[in-house]
Amino acid sequence: MTDSALSAEAQKNNALLAPWSGPHGGVPPFDQVKLADFKPALEAGMAQKRAEIKAIAENSEAPTFENTVAALEDSGRTLDRAMTIYSIWAGTMSSPEFQAIEKETSAPLAAFEDEIIQNEKLFKRLETVYQSPAYKTLTPEQQRLTWKYYTDWTRAGAKLNAKDKQRLSAINQKLADVFTSFRQNLLADESTFILLESEKDLAGLPEALVKSAAADAATRGAKGKWAISNTRSSVDPFLTYSSRADLREKVWRAFVNRGDNGDTHDNNRLITEILQLRAERAKLLGYETHAHWRLENAMARTPDAAMALMVEVWKPAVARVQEEVKDMLPLATREEGKKAIEPWDYRYYAEKVRKQKYDLTENEVKPYFQLESLREGMFWVAGELLNFAFTPVTGLPVVHPDVRVWEVKDKTSGRSIGLWYFDPYARQGKRSGAWMNAYRNQERFRGEVTTIVSNNSNFIQGAPGEPVLISLSDARTLFHEFGHALHGLASNVTYPGLAGTAVPRDYVEFPSQLLEEWLLTPEVLSRFALHYQTKKPMPQSLVAKIDKASKFNQGFETVEYLSSALVDMKFHLKKADSINPDAFERETLAELGMPKEIVMRHRSPQFAHIFASDGYSAGYYSYLWSDTLSASAYEAFLEGKGPYDKTVAQRLVKHVLSVGNSVDPAEGFRAFRGKAPGSEALMRKRGFPLSKK
């Protein structure tokens, strides 16, 4: 069944069912979306794909790549489009009305996925293609696609007996439901805020933060006061600048206890259930633990390999934290009479140490880091490395008025590459953090199809006419997520299932972490780090101070992240029948020797990476693993003519960015770098001593 097989009347009455129309190969019809359309669109999309799958499975012709694998790749286009818009709403427009739809549809969608994978006739055809002599005659990309379908489906239970398949599907449906509850509970707690009542509560806060807090309070019906939203983009700056220790503690406690307040939004019971279900599923699929199942086709391959890297980095990171605390304590004693650094003090006193050691503060840097100027800087970097040009596009439908769109073209040929959507600001119903979405993958399978990607952030929008100034850390995140977008835009494959970021978790963060390196290059700073008032570039003296302080606070940053990654892995290696998340977290951190001055970047009840989906479960280590690749890759540029070496950039595009998952990532990296990665470049990047092996 094709798009045309859906009745014209159905497509007319439900925009989610119609092929995307308009310029640029068609665009998402955001302006026509109605909440009432989601459920019938998903049901119609599933029905259409079910008919397509039936036709493939019952084809009387002998199985071939074209009539089985390619047909599978071409199936479910209507459902894919509907799911794209559904996921955008879930992440950025999650009203109570939409959340009710999510709760109703999450389990049926999971059941439908299992229904396809567990179709015995279909899998038999797929297996026949994979094991036939003709497999060797396929193109490398066709072989890769066939291998991916076969291994993914085998790992997802296609070979189980009927009884085990039934139980597996029940587990997946329950997990989908619990994931949705976890996500919605977290969103509810992140919708809360701390209200600052008087000007005394603003002590130490920079003017830009005060203005954004006032604007936030006004939107919440508290004009004349100041609101600190319970999201990282509001909390981190407050903890960095507020000289009120009592308010720092109040804001910090609200933030670290999201999902852990013993109320209707408490996530602990859900975590216990998720871990039990994952352990049962892994056993059913023939794996020792959930972690062993998840890592089998990752770059790391085994939990032992991932743990070895994390432990190697953990020890010097903890040692660095001890040095950082030693530097902070005298200042804290002198200013507030403190005898110890509390977790809500760390950012505040780290900022003071930075000033003392390097004569540098975030407030000095921020006036030069205007969001819109840095966005132009990212475009310029993409032009230098990938030959991309970005042009604003108006008149296209968007999910919210804050969203803007750019067309991406090749600077030389003018060839259209795709569209880039930018959704920069926090709002009610939008999940916290920053991420990239692929609205449409590049392909040449059924004609040339260009990429549509988005970058999503949660910056606090200032008063009308006020520029949005961001921290150095947020600027790095901006470049990081743009790296994901470039990975999608640079894709040059035949099949959409292998395009762009469709790679293992511990590889997908490699291009994004690599792009962070270009933020502080002199070329970007001199052109785009312009003072928001004077428009003058960042003075060289300030650039030099930033460079000198580049490894400052690496102990905190590494331990904050790595403690989360280690707890994630240990959660998923544990074989106990029932796990109390709070107790397990405390005990694990104690065993690791977690510094008492720091908490995990993501405490368990708010750890959406691993408990709002299977996404990064037993995989949060991926950022560290990928950083071994990105650190080595950046050294390849430095070994050449520098960050803008065209030859190295072309090699990166050829062997990494353009190939997606059409080649084995390990082979792609070796082809780019000439060697496999080790931990040495990573340790140099973070300023840690090299391990003695």
Side-chain angles (χ1 to χ4, degrees):
M1 188 187 294
T2 62
D3 286 324
S4 60
L6 281 168
S7 74
E9 189 66 22
Q11 293 185 26
K12 180 181 178 182
N13 293 335
N14 191 327
L16 299 178
L17 293 175
W20 293 352
S21 60
H24 312 288
V27 295
F30 293 126
D31 56 339
Q32 299 174 50
V33 173
K34 294 180 287 195
L35 289 181
D37 286 345
F38 276 111
K39 188 180 177 185
L42 295 175
E43 289 173 344
M46 285 189 282
Q48 181 194 32
K49 185 168 183 176
R50 186 175 285 116
E52 293 167 344
I53 293 299
K54 187 174 187 289
I56 299 168
E58 297 183 359
N59 189 338
S60 60
E61 297 178 4
T64 65
F65 175 83
E66 284 299 327
N67 69 22
T68 302
V69 180
L72 266 175
E73 186 75 346
D74 201 28
S75 68
R77 301 257 187 187
T78 299
L79 181 60
D80 288 346
R81 290 194 301 269
M83 282 298 300
T84 294
I85 296 177
Y86 175 86
S87 67
I88 293 166
W89 245 255
T92 71
M93 299 290 285
S94 188
S95 64
E97 295 79 12
F98 179 81
Q99 289 177 21
I101 297 168
E102 234 187 338
K103 288 292 287 183
E104 197 175 348
T105 55
S106 58
L109 286 166
F112 179 68
E113 188 71 21
D114 283 328
E115 176 189 325
I116 294 171
I117 291 172
Q118 294 179 6
N119 185 313
E120 291 188 12
K121 288 182 180 178
L122 180 62
F123 183 73
K124 185 63 179 174
R125 291 182 67 86
L126 180 60
E127 187 174 50
T128 299
V129 175
Y130 181 62
Q131 295 179 348
S132 73
Y135 176 78
K136 300 292 186 184
T137 68
L138 300 175
T139 69
E141 191 174 340
Q142 289 172 339
Q143 289 185 34
R144 183 74 177 174
L145 185 66
T146 305
W147 168 85
K148 189 172 187 302
Y149 267 111
Y150 179 76
T151 55
D152 285 353
W153 286 24
T154 299
R155 297 181 69 252
K159 292 184 175 182
L160 296 179
N161 62 44
K163 181 184 175 183
D164 287 347
K165 282 180 178 177
Q166 186 177 17
R167 178 56 190 156
L168 178 64
S169 184
I171 291 171
N172 287 336
Q173 290 175 62
K174 184 60 179 175
L175 278 170
D177 184 55
V178 180
F179 291 155
T180 301
S181 295
F182 185 99
R183 186 165 57 247
Q184 292 182 358
N185 284 344
L186 180 56
L187 184 61
D189 276 3
E190 289 180 340
S191 299
T192 62
F193 58 96
I194 301 293
L195 198 62
L196 307 181
E197 301 281 353
S198 70
E199 292 195 0
K200 290 189 299 182
D201 297 342
L202 308 177
L205 302 183
E207 183 183 4
L209 182 54
V210 171
K211 286 181 176 179
S212 65
D216 192 10
T219 66
R220 299 175 184 273
K223 191 172 182 181
K225 297 182 180 179
W226 302 266
I228 304 300
S229 298
N230 202 12
T231 60
R232 193 175 302 279
S233 55
S234 286
V235 168
D236 280 1
F238 185 85
L239 296 179
T240 301
Y241 298 118
S242 175
S243 56
R244 288 280 302 275
D246 58 330
L247 291 178
R248 289 200 307 269
E249 181 178 359
K250 184 178 181 180
V251 168
W252 177 86
R253 288 195 183 280
F255 185 67
V256 301
N257 287 320
R258 289 166 297 148
D260 194 22
N261 293 302
D263 56 12
T264 56
H265 299 133
D266 192 285
N267 275 331
N268 284 289
R269 178 186 58 79
L270 301 181
I271 293 171
T272 299
E273 189 171 9
I274 289 169
L275 293 171
Q276 286 175 321
L277 290 167
R278 282 175 172 164
E280 183 185 355
R281 180 176 60 185
K283 188 175 180 181
L284 204 60
L285 292 168
Y287 293 88
E288 184 179 347
T289 68
H290 178 77
H292 288 84
W293 177 59
R294 290 289 293 172
L295 270 70
E296 183 181 41
N297 279 346
M299 293 279 287
R301 302 296 184 199
T302 67
D304 285 349
M307 284 295 296
L309 176 63
M310 288 192 283
V311 169
E312 180 184 353
V313 177
W314 176 256
K315 292 175 182 177
V318 169
R320 181 62 55 82
V321 167
Q322 292 166 351
E323 295 171 12
E324 291 169 2
V325 170
K326 188 177 179 182
D327 287 339
M328 288 188 279
L329 194 53
L331 295 173
T333 302
R334 189 161 58 246
E335 182 170 321
E336 296 179 315
K338 287 182 174 287
K339 296 180 179 179
I341 298 296
E342 301 292 349
W344 52 86
D345 298 326
Y346 208 110
R347 293 179 186 277
Y348 179 71
Y349 284 107
E351 186 68 4
K352 290 185 175 295
V353 170
R354 185 186 347 232
K355 173 66 176 174
Q356 186 181 68
K357 275 193 164 187
Y358 302 101
D359 191 26
L360 178 68
T361 68
E362 279 280 11
N363 280 334
E364 273 187 279
V365 177
K366 251 188 169 181
Y368 294 93
F369 279 179
Q370 186 183 349
L371 177 61
E372 292 303 309
S373 185
L374 288 177
R375 176 188 51 69
E376 289 293 331
M378 297 191 309
F379 290 173
W380 183 83
V381 170
E384 293 299 299
L385 297 180
L386 280 73
N387 206 41
F388 286 176
F390 289 74
T391 307
V393 179
T394 57
L396 295 184
V398 290
V399 72
H400 186 275
D402 287 345
V403 180
R404 289 167 292 157
V405 189
W406 281 260
E407 182 180 13
V408 188
K409 291 184 175 181
D410 182 89
K411 285 200 298 186
T412 305
S413 68
R415 177 178 63 88
S416 180
I417 289 164
L419 294 173
W420 183 73
Y421 286 61
F422 189 36
D423 185 359
Y425 303 121
R427 60 176 173 270
Q428 288 291 101
K430 186 178 183 182
R431 71 177 174 92
S432 64
W435 66 96
M436 169 267 196
N437 258 0
Y439 293 178
R440 182 175 69 204
N441 282 336
Q442 172 271 332
E443 62 173 283
R444 292 191 301 274
F445 177 36
R446 296 289 187 249
E448 289 282 345
V449 175
T450 56
T451 309
I452 303 179
V453 297
S454 73
N455 279 145
N456 309 269
S457 303
N458 271 279
F459 298 113
I460 304 301
Q461 197 165 11
E466 290 286 339
V468 177
L469 305 178
I470 66 177
S471 68
L472 177 57
S473 174
D474 282 341
R476 285 199 182 100
T477 300
L478 189 70
F479 270 64
H480 175 103
E481 296 303 333
F482 191 61
H484 284 307
L486 294 182
H487 194 182
L489 288 164
S491 178
N492 185 20
V493 299
T494 302
Y495 301 101
L498 299 174
T501 57
V503 294
R505 288 287 183 187
D506 52 6
Y507 194 73
V508 76
E509 299 297 340
F510 156 38
S512 54
Q513 290 184 149
L514 178 59
L515 197 76
E516 293 177 35
E517 300 288 353
W518 274 264
L519 168 63
L520 296 180
T521 58
E523 294 85 348
V524 168
L525 294 178
S526 63
R527 290 172 171 83
F528 303 101
L530 307 178
H531 195 282
Y532 78 102
Q533 291 174 323
T534 67
K535 308 305 178 189
K536 291 183 178 179
M538 184 180 286
Q540 192 55 44
S541 58
L542 183 54
V543 174
K545 287 194 287 186
I546 292 172
D547 182 62
K548 190 176 180 182
S550 63
K551 295 177 178 61
F552 175 74
N553 222 29
Q554 272 297 318
F556 172 82
E557 291 180 15
T558 304
V559 165
E560 183 194 45
Y561 153 75
L562 199 48
S563 57
S564 297
L566 284 161
V567 168
D568 163 39
M569 188 63 76
K570 287 177 178 289
F571 262 137
H572 292 106
L573 287 170
K574 188 78 172 174
K575 296 176 183 177
D577 291 334
S578 181
I579 294 176
N580 178 314
D582 271 348
F584 184 84
E585 182 184 297
R586 284 194 305 273
E587 291 162 7
T588 301
L589 293 175
E591 289 170 7
L592 289 169
M594 177 75 166
K596 62 182 178 57
E597 298 86 359
I598 299 177
V599 293
M600 297 162 62
R601 183 167 181 81
H602 304 287
R603 285 199 56 242
S604 308
Q606 63 241 198
F607 207 165
H609 283 77
I610 68 171
F611 293 127
S613 72
D614 276 331
Y616 280 83
S617 61
Y620 198 61
Y621 78 90
S622 297
Y623 292 91
L624 187 69
W625 193 277
S626 293
D627 211 15
T628 65
L629 308 174
S630 62
S632 178
Y634 193 61
E635 288 190 352
F637 280 90
L638 300 182
E639 290 162 8
K641 297 177 181 177
Y644 297 93
D645 188 315
K646 301 287 188 187
T647 302
V648 180
Q650 287 168 5
R651 239 178 29 239
L652 182 71
V653 172
K654 179 180 179 181
H655 296 296
V656 176
L657 298 180
S658 69
V659 297
N661 203 2
S662 65
V663 301
D664 182 283
E667 293 176 11
F669 183 84
R670 278 193 296 270
F672 160 69
R673 190 65 175 101
K675 61 182 180 180
S679 62
E680 294 83 2
L682 171 72
M683 302 298 263
R684 285 191 289 269
K685 176 181 177 178
R686 298 191 180 219
F688 296 158
L690 296 181
S691 302
K692 295 178 181 178
K693 296 182 179 178

